[in-house]
Amino acid sequence: MALYQDQDRLLLAVDCIIFGFDEQGLKLLLVKRAFEPEEGKWSLMGGFVQKGESVDEAAIRVLYRLTGLTDIFLEQMQIFGKIDRDPVDRVVSVTYYALINAENYENQDIKNYTASWFPIDQKPQLIFDHDEMVAIAREKLKQQARHQPVGFALLPQKFTMPQLQRLYEAILETALDRGNFNRRIKALGILNRLNEKERAGSKKGAFLYVFDQSRYLELKKTGWNFEIN
């Protein structure tokens, strides 16, 4: 311990960028800060890393505290460590981004944090450097969604092809040709069509699909690449 006694002490935090998706598009889950500095302003969900936990465990704890959800898509993004990023003390933050199906998300604990979903393009200004965190996370999601099937984490277990197309249009921020998109997705061989239809908004209805995770993992072992252009 003597080797470290003359070194500066820093606070280590985690901040979680929580994305969701519904029929209106890509969304961001934010909380209203309940203490100074910046009390009453919108913020990402975060907290300090405790002595008895790893950084990943801290992020999982923070997410569970807000959403009540476990076993969700969660990935470490990058470290934010500008000297003056927090006006109270020197705080280094490890950021994570999480993907949640917003329509299925229900938790009464959300009221304790004055949390709310915001359309990604209509979010309020956030505290500290949280806007920068969101911008970087959104770009990472866009790039990752092209090469990995991470987008399925934002959908219900059963979904239609129009829902899937709207999701990718929201993530990629561009319109996609319906026929080309359907052919490309189906050619990947990782969707199973069910003998069920979603009939909301149409008498004919649209077939429901599920993502075949085991098939995807098998294909990945062979060197096969998931790619959406």
Side-chain angles (χ1 to χ4, degrees):
M1 187 65 184
L3 294 174
Y4 303 149
Q5 64 184 4
D6 294 330
Q7 301 303 313
D8 291 337
R9 296 292 189 265
L10 306 177
L11 293 171
L12 183 62
V14 294
D15 284 297
C16 298
I17 301 98
I18 306 171
F19 290 114
F21 176 78
D22 60 17
E23 292 300 315
Q24 283 69 52
L26 194 64
K27 293 192 170 183
L28 184 67
L29 186 59
L30 301 173
V31 294
K32 189 166 284 189
R33 193 169 166 92
F35 52 89
E36 293 292 353
E38 308 286 7
E39 182 177 2
K41 295 186 179 180
W42 291 100
S43 165
L44 297 173
M45 188 65 180
F48 291 106
V49 179
Q50 305 301 312
K51 287 183 178 181
E53 64 186 359
S54 69
V55 179
D56 287 350
E57 288 168 343
I60 292 169
R61 170 177 55 81
V62 165
L63 274 174
Y64 180 76
R65 190 173 67 196
L66 177 62
T67 68
L69 300 175
T70 58
D71 194 27
I72 61 176
F73 180 94
L74 178 66
E75 184 166 305
Q76 189 178 122
M77 193 174 73
Q78 73 175 61
I79 294 173
F80 287 75
K82 289 182 180 178
I83 294 174
D84 58 351
R85 61 172 303 275
D86 189 310
V88 176
D89 207 336
R90 181 72 198 279
V91 180
V92 173
S93 177
V94 182
T95 53
Y96 289 76
Y97 83 100
L99 306 179
I100 294 174
N101 174 21
E103 290 186 329
N104 289 347
Y105 165 66
E106 292 183 2
N107 189 328
Q108 293 302 315
D109 289 342
I110 193 172
K111 298 176 182 177
N112 297 332
Y113 297 99
T114 320
S116 217
W117 287 105
F118 287 88
I120 189 68
D121 292 322
Q122 300 175 30
K123 71 171 184 61
Q125 184 175 349
L126 306 181
I127 66 168
F128 306 158
D129 49 4
H130 290 194
D131 285 309
E132 182 183 359
M133 293 176 179
V134 172
I136 292 174
R138 188 176 187 185
E139 185 60 28
K140 182 175 177 63
L141 173 60
K142 182 188 298 186
Q143 296 305 319
Q144 197 166 14
R146 293 182 184 274
H147 304 290
Q148 297 179 40
V150 296
F152 293 102
L154 291 162
L155 291 170
Q157 183 180 8
K158 301 177 183 179
F159 53 85
T160 65
M161 290 301 291
Q163 282 179 309
L164 184 60
Q165 181 174 338
R166 285 195 294 273
L167 169 66
Y168 271 91
E169 288 178 333
I171 292 175
L172 302 179
E173 300 181 80
T174 188
L176 299 171
D177 179 79
R178 179 180 176 181
N180 289 339
F181 178 80
N182 285 359
R183 283 191 293 273
R184 175 56 183 158
I185 286 291
K186 291 176 181 178
L188 293 172
I190 56 174
L191 297 185
N192 294 328
R193 195 180 84 171
L194 305 176
N195 192 27
E196 302 176 43
K197 285 188 174 183
E198 169 60 64
R199 300 194 178 273
S202 161
K203 289 184 179 179
K204 185 178 179 180
F207 277 105
L208 290 166
Y209 291 79
V210 294
F211 171 56
D212 191 335
Q213 174 77 9
S214 60
R215 175 62 175 160
Y216 166 69
L217 293 176
E218 288 176 6
L219 289 170
K220 189 177 179 182
K221 290 177 182 177
T222 69
W224 171 87
N225 291 317
F226 177 94
E227 187 172 352
I228 298 293
N229 295 315

